[in-house]
Amino acid sequence: MNEFVLIIRRDMISKDAIPSPEQMQAAIKPFQDWIGGIAAQNKLVAPPKRWDSDGRVVKQDNIVTNGPYAEIKESVGGLFLIRAENYDEAVEIAKGCPILNWGASVEVRMAVQTEYK
């Protein structure tokens, strides 16, 4: 089994970016059920975490800028780790994310094993 990160990206700046309380309530149960299904298959490595809309970017020479960038429409709304045999399986899991119904996207990345000495 490989580990994959699922990165939920969503619109953070348009006027329709903030869901109404009713939309949030409608989205919670399907998302919890989806995550529960992944966990029941023993494929959930780390549970989802939500991220704020602020951030910092650290660059060479100790340059620190605020983020996310104003010109970027999408930002990370959450991420979590899963187990899957390959990209095809991880993508199939990601396709079940109910957040997709609200205009978000899910990025799938496989962890690369490296050794640090």
Side-chain angles (χ1 to χ4, degrees):
M1 284 280 194
N2 295 295
E3 289 187 1
F4 292 83
V5 63
L6 300 186
I7 305 165
I8 297 172
R9 296 187 181 275
R10 63 185 188 92
D11 178 349
M12 301 291 279
I13 61 170
S14 74
K15 66 177 182 155
D16 297 324
I18 307 300
S20 70
E22 295 81 17
Q23 289 172 319
M24 286 294 291
Q25 190 62 35
I28 289 172
K29 177 83 168 101
F31 188 74
Q32 289 173 333
D33 290 347
W34 177 64
I35 294 296
I38 296 168
Q41 297 174 55
N42 196 30
K43 293 185 178 181
L44 185 63
V45 175
K49 294 193 175 27
R50 290 184 61 201
W51 302 91
D52 68 5
S53 59
D54 203 2
R56 305 294 180 273
V57 177
V58 179
K59 297 180 181 179
Q60 186 176 11
D61 298 325
N62 293 321
I63 297 171
V64 179
T65 59
N66 289 338
Y69 310 103
E71 66 273 9
I72 296 176
K73 183 177 177 183
E74 288 186 342
S75 184
V76 174
L79 60 86
F80 57 101
L81 298 173
I82 64 166
R83 286 183 197 90
E85 287 294 327
N86 51 40
Y87 263 108
D88 291 339
E89 182 181 8
V91 166
E92 284 305 310
I93 292 170
K95 285 180 180 178
C97 182
I99 302 301
L100 294 169
N101 296 326
W102 299 98
S105 64
V106 180
E107 181 178 341
V108 179
R109 297 279 185 107
M110 184 170 61
V112 177
Q113 301 299 323
T114 58
E115 291 187 33
Y116 296 99
K117 295 183 181 192

